[in-house]
Amino acid sequence: MTTHPEQGHELVPRPERSPEAVRVALARVAPHRLGEMEQHKEQALATAIQDGRIGHLQHWLTHWQVQVEIERRPDLHARHHAALTALNESSGKDAPEFRTAMDELHAVEAEARQAVSA
């Protein structure tokens, strides 16, 4: 069963900006990434405690909001997946297709980041 059935339709509503809401949304659109999210949270928390700055946790939450946005929108998911595939199939960092794929990854993430910050 795929979580990305049709292009153009959001799979779940955009979650509120809270760790629990983002986790619940991720569990619905990409449950295989929950472990990665948890590990990243533990790293952010440890760094925040060490540095005494909450910014690490804010960055973590924004990062996962962006990831959920990519996963919940089939258009962004398809572009992201195609760019990752192109990266993996490129002949190296000097290949033109590598740069094109990296540019597309950055564009997808920028679009998702703008959507969640609006």
Side-chain angles (χ1 to χ4, degrees):
M1 178 176 151
T2 179
T3 57
H4 298 279
E6 295 180 27
Q7 295 293 330
H9 298 359
E10 297 171 351
L11 301 177
V12 297
R14 183 175 294 128
E16 295 178 18
R17 183 175 167 81
S18 74
E20 183 61 16
V22 172
R23 188 195 66 72
V24 167
L26 186 66
R28 292 192 56 207
V29 297
H32 62 281
R33 297 197 64 197
L34 286 170
E36 178 186 355
M37 181 188 191
E38 184 64 24
Q39 181 180 15
H40 188 204
K41 179 181 78 176
E42 292 301 321
Q43 292 169 343
L45 183 57
T47 305
I49 290 169
Q50 180 180 4
D51 293 352
R53 291 187 282 179
I54 195 167
H56 300 288
L57 295 171
Q58 292 168 329
H59 173 76
W60 168 81
L61 183 56
T62 299
H63 172 81
W64 286 99
Q65 279 187 289
V66 168
Q67 297 308 303
V68 166
E69 187 70 12
I70 291 167
E71 294 286 350
R72 76 181 198 87
R73 288 182 41 193
D75 61 320
L76 290 180
H77 177 79
R79 288 173 53 202
H80 190 260
H81 180 73
L84 287 175
T85 299
L87 274 179
N88 290 330
E89 293 176 353
S90 73
S91 58
K93 291 182 180 182
D94 295 329
E97 63 271 12
F98 182 89
R99 182 75 260 153
T100 301
M102 286 299 293
D103 290 345
E104 178 64 358
L105 280 177
H106 291 300
V108 167
E109 289 183 6
E111 185 175 334
R113 185 170 282 108
Q114 183 177 9
V116 299
S117 67

